[in-house]
Amino acid sequence: MGTAAPKHRHTGWVWLLILAGIGYAGWHYRPAPAASAPGGAAAGRGGRGGSGGPNAAPVPVVVAKATNRSIPLYLRNIGTVVPANTVSLHSRVDGQIVQVHFQEGQMVRQGDLLVDIDPRPYQAALAQAQGQLAHDTALYNDDQIDYQRYLTLYQQNIVAKQQLDSQAALVDEYKGAMASDQASIQTATLNLSYSKITAPVTGRIGLRQVDPGNIVHSSDAQAMAVITQVQPIAVLFTLPQQDLPQVYGELSAGRHPDVAAFDSTNTKLLAQGHLLTIDNAIDPSTGTFKLKAMFDNNDNALFPNQMVNARMQVGTATGLTVVPVAAVQRGPQGTYVYVVSPQNKVSVHSVAVQVTEGNDVGLSTGVAPGDTVVVDGADKLEEGSRVETTMVQPAGPTASHPAAATSATAEAAARGGRHHGVKPAKSVATDH
């Protein structure tokens, strides 16, 4: 029992030393106080010591220069390519197809011979009508001579007036018969011409539905083939009804805004045209109105029923400072950007966004042309952080980047300014 007391005292000193070590470690590795950033931007993301500390290493970022230039304003929606004209080939006469002169899918021009229908019945009908005309013409001439004789005799009071009138009526009867025969000849000639089916418009002909040797009728519901006019070609698309005053104002002023058609991925420009007209009513079920744009389509980039992304320019925004969309950050108190000073330190500037178009954002306040803004790496920054910059070349006007992905770039900015589409052009040395 006498030796147990010293052992307990030594154990107590050991535990006291362990607790003291834990307390010192907790004090030494305590979190650094967070610095507040102007404009409501979250700060203190640099971790221990903060990225803006005097001995902190510079944060590598990608930057771009703010510019002062105009931004084109566009209206966009999905559209469908439709032919300028669509013609279904039907026979106007009955008969057997004796020859087909086109290849399926080829381009045909207006007036090209496409199909031959057996013309012999219509040649016979024409000959019959011509013979009937010759017969009635001979009778007319004979009665006309008789009429002249009766007229002479009547003037000599040899025949009665009734006989003269009867002869005159007979002459008029054959004159009417000759007119009827002439109409029959025109009908037979027309039917004979219908036996040769020609292209009514210039366009691409589709698959043949009737083969040579088959009998076709003017009452057939099925077309022999379909021709679609693809040069020029149209694109139909819709816009919300709130855009109608702006579009209608352009048309009323005699202007037809430019329209561009992009592929389904909205990255490849297929064709450029202009707005032709708008529909005469708003669709009450969707609250949209329909527009029709025309394209020359000389390279056949647009195909009937193809789905495209239509983009129409309706104006230009001027007098704004333009920065890449990835430069704009969003916080609890609004939007802001990180501006890099000549000393390679960043400061937070609250900005007012006026226009977002493609990869460009037009700002009315907060940034001046020539300022250097951070476009990548903003999630590692706080007020006063030292940075090591890599400059990107100006992207140029939005019009040079037609397939802009506004929503994607805005989402990237909302996630902290990471915009992977920005490619560094060169590295700028900084003072450490």
Side-chain angles (χ1 to χ4, degrees):
M1 295 297 292
T3 61
K7 183 176 180 180
H8 286 297
R9 284 196 299 269
H10 289 305
T11 302
W13 278 105
V14 170
W15 282 108
L16 184 60
L17 290 175
I18 291 173
L19 292 175
I22 293 173
Y24 174 77
W27 174 85
H28 183 72
Y29 294 101
R30 72 190 185 282
S36 61
R45 287 172 293 185
R48 174 186 166 190
S51 63
N55 297 322
V59 179
V61 295
V62 178
V63 298
K65 288 287 187 182
T67 59
N68 183 8
R69 53 182 170 81
S70 60
I71 300 180
L73 303 178
Y74 297 107
L75 299 176
R76 296 180 173 88
N77 207 347
I78 296 175
T80 303
V81 180
V82 296
N85 291 291
T86 301
V87 179
S88 298
L89 294 179
H90 289 269
S91 175
R92 292 187 175 186
V93 294
D94 299 344
Q96 183 181 33
I97 295 178
V98 294
Q99 192 171 2
V100 175
H101 297 277
F102 66 88
Q103 297 292 329
E104 295 173 311
Q106 80 172 77
M107 292 292 295
V108 297
R109 297 195 172 276
Q110 185 177 7
D112 287 353
L113 180 61
L114 303 178
V115 177
D116 275 330
I117 296 176
D118 186 4
R120 292 174 296 177
Y122 306 102
Q123 291 171 344
L126 176 59
Q128 183 179 9
Q130 290 172 337
Q132 185 65 40
L133 176 62
H135 174 268
D136 292 338
T137 300
L139 293 177
Y140 168 78
N141 292 334
D142 183 60
D143 286 337
Q144 181 69 21
I145 294 173
D146 288 343
Y147 172 77
Q148 294 298 328
R149 291 174 181 157
Y150 277 100
L151 180 60
T152 301
L153 294 174
Y154 171 73
Q155 292 173 348
Q156 297 175 358
N157 294 321
I158 299 176
V159 298
K161 181 69 166 58
Q162 181 179 2
Q163 289 180 293
L164 178 65
D165 292 341
S166 297
Q167 189 63 32
L170 191 59
V171 170
D172 290 339
E173 180 182 347
Y174 282 110
K175 186 182 295 185
M178 290 169 57
S180 177
D181 295 339
Q182 190 64 48
S184 297
I185 290 175
Q186 293 176 353
T187 300
T189 302
L190 193 60
N191 288 336
L192 183 60
S193 68
Y194 288 159
S195 67
K196 292 184 178 296
I197 299 177
T198 59
V201 295
T202 298
R204 178 177 286 108
I205 195 166
L207 301 180
R208 188 177 68 240
Q209 303 299 320
V210 180
D211 299 322
N214 287 307
I215 303 296
V216 293
H217 304 276
S218 58
S219 59
D220 288 342
Q222 184 182 31
M224 290 185 287
V226 177
I227 300 176
T228 55
Q229 186 176 1
V230 295
Q231 294 176 348
I233 203 167
V235 170
L236 297 179
F237 62 103
T238 60
L239 289 175
Q241 60 183 4
Q242 56 265 29
D243 294 330
L244 178 59
Q246 189 174 13
V247 178
Y248 189 75
E250 290 288 314
L251 292 176
S252 299
R255 295 186 293 268
H256 294 266
D258 293 336
V259 180
F262 297 89
D263 65 356
S264 58
T265 63
N266 206 24
T267 57
K268 181 181 179 181
L269 177 63
L270 299 177
Q272 291 182 320
H274 65 276
L275 180 66
L276 178 64
T277 187
I278 59 177
D279 204 356
N280 59 358
I282 294 175
D283 186 348
S285 62
T286 60
T288 61
F289 65 101
K290 189 176 294 185
L291 305 91
K292 184 176 186 179
M294 297 301 298
F295 298 81
D296 292 335
N297 200 33
N298 293 328
D299 57 354
N300 293 311
L302 299 179
F303 205 81
N305 294 334
Q306 179 182 4
M307 194 73 67
V308 297
N309 288 279
R311 188 195 70 180
M312 179 173 65
Q313 183 174 354
V314 291
T316 303
T318 59
L320 300 176
T321 302
V322 181
V323 299
V325 68
V328 179
Q329 312 297 312
R330 288 165 176 79
Q333 298 185 15
T335 54
Y336 61 96
V337 299
Y338 284 105
V339 178
V340 182
S341 69
Q343 293 76 31
N344 294 312
K345 290 188 176 182
V346 297
S347 58
V348 179
H349 289 212
S350 297
V351 295
V353 176
Q354 296 297 319
V355 177
T356 300
E357 181 54 54
N359 291 326
D360 291 334
V361 175
L363 308 176
S364 58
T365 60
V367 177
D371 286 349
T372 302
V373 296
V374 176
V375 297
D376 196 7
D379 54 338
K380 306 179 183 66
L381 301 179
E382 61 185 32
E383 178 73 20
S385 296
R386 296 175 63 242
V387 293
E388 180 180 359
T389 62
T390 300
M391 181 70 70
V392 295
Q393 297 294 340
T398 305
S400 65
H401 299 277
T406 305
S407 59
T409 49
E411 182 181 356
R415 291 198 301 264
R418 294 181 179 179
H419 182 53
H420 302 290
V422 178
K423 297 181 179 180
K426 60 180 180 179
S427 178
V428 180
T430 57
D431 296 330
H432 296 291

